[in-house]
């Protein structure tokens, strides 16, 4: 990671602590991931499902690096609420219009933290009888105790701090920041 002291007008007066992943590093990684995904799906219908809102920028960059036919749709999952409560389950507030049966699903997420969101979503989507389900996350904190499925495609292992930018928010701020950073307190 590198330090920066350059003020960024997108940050509402906050200062960057560290840029964890630069625009260039993310672009380079998207190209490699896109190549891996292209190679991983030789045939069949591929539906890339972005988990809103956090995945919107990553998905837009990633799909342009996947050199095969595919469709794009999105999911909006309800939050499981209080993070200390593990009994909650997710509901879909927006559900893809298309049938998922027989399709290869690639779930695209911004960051895997506890893994709870993805655990519930994969279980829910498996009931729709897709041909396969794989997870692609830009960032993985590697602390997910609740996820029984592997994250097949990972952009970067993330440091154990709160990150913003490139889709990731803090109270809806900073999603449009083109790099991933931690903010100074
Ligand atoms: P999980 O269900 O605990 O894995 O939480 C995943 C969701 O929490 C992500 O989709 C993000 O919306 C949010 N999240 C987790 N860690 C961070 C972070 O460091 N910055 C911003 N959002 C985060
Ligand atoms: Mg969020």
């Amino acid at each position: 990671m590198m330090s920066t002291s350059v003020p960024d007008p997108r940050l509402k007066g906050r200062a960057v602590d560290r840029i964890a992943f630069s625009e260039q590093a993310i672009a380079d990684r998207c190209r490699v991931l896109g190549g891996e995904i292209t190679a991983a799906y030789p045939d069949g219908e591929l539906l890339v499902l972005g988990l809103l809102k956090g995945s919107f920028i990553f998905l837009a960059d990633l799909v342009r690096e996947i050199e095969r036919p595919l469709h794009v749709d999105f999911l909006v999952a309800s939050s499981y609420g209080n993070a200390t409560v593990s009994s909650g389950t997710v509901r879909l507030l927006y559900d893809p219009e298309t049938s998922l049966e027989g399709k290869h699903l690639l779930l695209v997420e911004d960051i895997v933290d506890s893994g709870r969101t993805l655990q519930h979503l994969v279980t829910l989507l498996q009931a729709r009888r897709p041909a396969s389900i794989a997870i692609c996350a830009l960032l993985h904190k590697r602390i997910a105790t609740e996820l029984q499925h592997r994250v097949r495609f990972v952009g970067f292992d993330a440091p154990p701090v709160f990150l913003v930018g490139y889709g990731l928010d803090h109270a809806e701020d900073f999603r449009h920041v083109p790099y991933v950073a931690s903010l100074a307190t």
Side-chain angles (χ1 to χ4, degrees), residues 80 109-111 113-117 141 161-163 168-169:
Y80 42 73
E109 172 67 308
D110 55 355
I111 184 165
D113 187 4
S114 74
R116 198 176 299 152
T117 311
K141 285 191 175 170
V161 294
F162 196 82
L163 298 167
L168 289 93
D169 72 305

Side-chain angles (χ1 to χ4, degrees), residues 5-181:
S5 55
V6 179
D8 185 328
R10 303 175 184 90
L11 297 179
K12 292 178 90 179
R14 299 282 300 273
V16 165
D17 174 32
R18 285 179 185 282
I19 293 181
F21 305 104
S22 67
E23 281 187 79
Q24 189 59 56
I26 295 169
D28 292 348
R29 190 70 188 117
C30 280
R31 186 149 300 142
V32 173
L33 272 180
E36 287 176 15
I37 293 165
T38 303
Y41 291 96
D43 44 43
E45 286 183 76
L46 176 60
L47 177 61
V48 179
L49 274 178
L51 192 45
L52 291 176
K53 302 175 193 170
S55 73
F56 81 111
I57 294 178
F58 176 44
L59 181 142
D61 285 342
L62 182 68
V63 292
R64 283 177 284 180
E65 302 293 350
I66 302 175
E67 296 180 345
R68 56 152 290 148
L70 60 77
H71 287 182
V72 172
D73 212 329
F74 294 94
L75 293 172
V76 180
S78 66
S79 130
Y80 42 73
N82 187 331
T84 61
V85 178
S86 60
S87 57
T89 187
V90 294
R91 282 179 306 117
L92 292 184
L93 304 179
Y94 170 76
D95 209 344
E97 304 284 342
T98 48
S99 163
L100 306 184
E101 189 167 347
K103 294 178 181 168
H104 294 294
L105 304 186
L106 182 62
L107 264 179
V108 178
E109 172 67 308
D110 55 355
I111 184 165
V112 182
D113 187 4
S114 74
R116 198 176 299 152
T117 311
L118 281 172
Q119 179 59 33
H120 287 300
L121 271 179
V122 171
T123 303
L124 190 152
L125 294 172
Q126 271 167 344
R128 313 268 181 94
R129 303 200 298 164
S132 68
I133 303 183
I135 299 166
C136 177
L138 173 69
L139 301 168
H140 196 334
K141 285 191 175 170
R142 304 285 181 191
I143 55 169
T145 52
E146 314 226 5
L147 187 61
Q148 285 150 33
H149 311 277
R150 85 179 166 116
V151 184
R152 183 167 179 189
F153 305 101
V154 178
F156 302 99
D157 288 356
V161 294
F162 196 82
L163 298 167
V164 299
Y166 200 71
L168 289 93
D169 72 305
H170 175 254
E172 297 301 328
D173 287 323
F174 317 126
R175 291 195 195 274
H176 64 314
V177 172
Y179 47 85
V180 173

